[in-house]
Amino acid sequence: MLDQKNDAHIGWRLWQASHSWHREFVHAMQTAGHSWFTEARSTLLGATARKGTRQSVLVERLAISKQAVQQLIDGLEAEGIVERIADPEDKRGRIIRLTEAGLTAMKTADRIKGEIQQAYIDRIGVDDFQTLVGILDRLEKN
């Protein structure tokens, strides 16, 4: 029988694993020279398509207030990572698009994500890693 302590339920364990991955990722990005990269900013960037995303869509995806998204974008824009452009389909709207510096950072992020994944494979083995991915895929589809 599974341990029924509150801190041992599957939701908590999944959150801990996700949070641990996120901290490792942010630390590696900062170590790679992207000192502006924080957990909150990485969440916004992760929700932003490389070709750009409507600001209103980011609010929906992140499920945080418009003001919080605005502050994150303001900070990233000040760092030269994103830019706001007029939405060609709705002149009142804005598209948040990565700048060249932002695209360069995302190349670094892709490399680091691959390195973290390889470290997980090294730690638990290829078979267990593939099993884990399969299980997570099945859980996500429910």
Side-chain angles (χ1 to χ4, degrees):
M1 177 155 220
L2 292 173
D3 184 353
Q4 295 299 314
K5 293 189 319 187
N6 285 340
D7 63 348
H9 65 82
I10 191 64
W12 179 245
R13 288 179 180 200
L14 288 168
W15 182 87
Q16 284 181 307
S18 176
H19 190 63
S20 175
W21 182 94
H22 205 179
R23 279 192 324 264
E24 184 176 354
F25 175 59
V26 168
H27 176 74
M29 285 293 291
Q30 290 173 344
T31 300
H34 304 286
S35 59
W36 54 267
F37 202 87
T38 65
E39 287 189 41
R41 287 175 168 184
S42 74
T43 300
L44 183 125
L45 291 171
T48 305
R50 303 273 165 113
K51 64 181 179 9
T53 303
R54 286 187 179 139
Q55 187 168 331
S56 60
V57 170
L58 293 172
V59 171
E60 289 175 26
R61 286 181 182 167
L62 298 177
I64 59 176
S65 71
K66 289 178 187 178
Q67 294 81 3
V69 169
Q70 183 74 32
Q71 287 177 342
L72 288 168
I73 293 167
D74 288 347
L76 287 166
E77 189 174 38
E79 296 281 353
I81 305 304
V82 300
E83 62 185 352
R84 291 177 174 96
I85 60 170
D87 185 340
E89 296 177 20
D90 178 2
K91 294 299 181 199
R92 296 169 297 160
R94 294 282 175 243
I95 301 238
I96 307 308
R97 182 172 67 185
L98 294 166
T99 62
E100 284 302 315
L103 290 169
T104 297
M106 293 305 96
K107 287 178 185 173
T108 302
D110 290 343
R111 177 183 54 79
I112 288 170
K113 286 183 268 186
E115 290 170 358
I116 293 171
Q117 179 168 307
Q118 187 58 54
Y120 280 21
I121 292 169
D122 294 345
R123 191 176 323 156
I124 67 174
V126 172
D127 291 343
D128 283 348
F129 184 82
Q130 289 174 337
T131 299
L132 173 63
V133 170
I135 291 167
L136 291 172
D137 285 345
R138 288 195 332 252
L139 288 174
E140 185 180 354
K141 291 178 183 170
N142 286 333

